[in-house]
């Protein structure tokens, strides 16, 4: 009876963590919407880059494949969050291609096709050349590598904030949502005892904490800097 109670508690906790992770991820997926509203309004991609959406699409596809019951039973929340991610990135890429110049249309279309072909290779390789346990490990390692490569962006932002001593390029809501999403899936991975989930999200949680600490540190420093001349003038 105690064992069943613990199992039920674990299931409820993991489901709650997974749902929370999906909600916070949805917030992150929606962040580029103002950018694409501007693109549609101006009928031009201006100087915006489409590369981040290509990389995120590949990451979402690989992690979606890992989270499907066929590959990893019992972690459906990983599949749902990345399925949502695939839809958002596909829409963003289609809009980008529709409103960019001819040269970038060709480049973005080529990259999109390359991503789909690479994903197809991953699917075929995992199904044809590995048994069920090895399939999960093969795709799991790919998903971890893909997620870790995505950390290049927050690392760049952290470096930029330290260099400029400004939080201009690190919006609080974005850093906070990233931290909460990583923390939620860290908890989900630990409850599911899946290192392919908790390891990369553990790194993401640490980076999120660093970003938030830098935000409050430099926000405080900026406030003090702004107050200092006012105090001098009053004196």
């Amino acid at each position: 009876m105690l064992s069943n109670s613990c199992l039920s508690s674990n299931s409820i906790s993991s489901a709650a963590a997974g749902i929370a992770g999906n909600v916070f991820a949805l917030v992150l997926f929606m962040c580029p919407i103002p950018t694409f509203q501007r693109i549609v309004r101006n009928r031009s991609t201006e100087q915006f880059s489409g590369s981040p959406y290509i990389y995120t699409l590949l990451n979402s596809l690989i992690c979606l494949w890992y989270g499907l019951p066929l590959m990893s039973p019992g972690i459906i929340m990983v599949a749902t969050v990345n399925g949502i991610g695939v839809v958002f990135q596909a829409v963003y890429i289609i809009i980008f291609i529709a409103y960019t110049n001819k040269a970038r249309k060709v480049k973005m279309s080529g990259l999109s096709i390359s991503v789909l072909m690479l994903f197809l290779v991953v699917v075929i390789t995992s199904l044809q050349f590995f048994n069920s346990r090895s399939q999960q490990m093969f795709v799991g390692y790919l998903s971890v590598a893909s997620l870790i490569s995505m950390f290049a962006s927050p690392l760049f932002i952290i470096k930029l904030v330290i260099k400029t001593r400004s939080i201009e390029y690190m919006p609080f809501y974005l850093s906070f949502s990233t931290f909460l999403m990583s923390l939620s899936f860290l908890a989900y991975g630990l409850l599911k005892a899946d290192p392919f989930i908790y390891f990369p999200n553990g790194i993401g949680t640490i980076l999120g904490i660093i970003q938030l600490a830098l935000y409050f540190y430099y926000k405080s420093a900026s406030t003090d800097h702004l107050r200092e001349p006012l105090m001098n003038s009053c004196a």
Side-chain angles (χ1 to χ4, degrees):
M1 184 65 111
L2 183 60
S3 177
N4 289 338
S5 176
C6 291
L7 186 62
S8 175
S9 177
N10 183 281
S11 298
I12 293 171
S13 298
S14 61
I19 292 170
N22 274 253
V23 171
F24 296 131
L26 180 61
V27 172
L28 291 175
F29 291 143
M30 294 174 68
C31 284
I33 287 179
T35 297
F36 282 89
Q37 288 177 328
R38 173 175 168 175
I39 288 173
V40 172
R41 184 171 60 250
N42 296 337
R43 304 187 65 81
S44 170
T45 56
E46 302 173 28
Q47 298 302 312
F48 294 115
S49 172
S51 298
Y53 310 105
I54 294 290
Y55 297 142
T56 306
L57 175 63
L58 178 60
N59 173 69
S60 297
L61 284 169
I62 293 174
C63 293
L64 169 62
W65 182 234
Y66 176 72
L68 288 175
L70 175 65
M71 198 59 51
S72 307
I75 56 167
I76 193 65
M77 292 298 176
V78 173
T80 56
V81 69
N82 286 288
I84 294 169
V86 168
V87 172
F88 270 92
Q89 304 316 311
V91 170
Y92 291 149
I93 290 169
I94 289 169
I95 294 174
F96 194 94
I97 291 173
Y99 289 101
T100 196
N101 58 51
K102 185 175 180 180
R104 295 175 83 183
K105 280 183 193 290
V106 173
K107 180 182 177 181
M108 286 291 292
S109 299
L111 287 172
S112 301
I113 292 171
S114 298
V115 163
L116 295 177
M117 293 299 293
L118 180 57
F119 176 63
L120 185 60
V121 169
V122 169
V123 171
I124 293 173
T125 302
S126 60
L127 291 176
Q128 295 295 321
F129 299 101
F130 297 94
N131 59 37
S132 57
R133 176 57 184 163
S134 298
Q135 284 175 354
Q136 186 180 12
M137 291 188 67
F138 171 69
V139 181
Y141 280 119
L142 286 179
S143 68
V144 169
S146 177
L147 283 167
I148 290 177
S149 70
M150 297 293 289
F151 294 147
S153 178
L155 283 172
F156 173 77
I157 293 172
I158 288 171
K159 180 181 177 182
L160 187 63
V161 169
I162 294 173
K163 182 179 180 180
T164 61
R165 303 181 67 81
S166 169
I167 56 174
E168 179 184 356
Y169 304 102
M170 192 172 66
F172 173 76
Y173 73 90
L174 189 60
S175 298
F176 191 52
S177 296
T178 302
F179 165 70
L180 291 176
M181 182 195 70
S182 296
L183 183 62
S184 298
F185 277 107
L186 169 61
Y188 184 75
L190 289 171
L191 290 165
K192 293 292 185 179
D194 191 327
F196 295 122
I197 300 175
Y198 68 67
F199 177 72
N201 284 289
I203 297 175
T205 301
I206 293 170
L207 289 175
I209 292 171
I210 293 172
Q211 283 187 313
L212 291 173
L214 286 173
Y215 179 89
F216 287 112
Y217 175 78
Y218 284 111
K219 181 182 180 183
S220 175
S222 298
T223 304
D224 291 343
H225 178 71
L226 288 173
R227 285 176 180 169
E228 188 177 352
L230 182 60
M231 292 171 64
N232 288 340
S233 63
C234 289

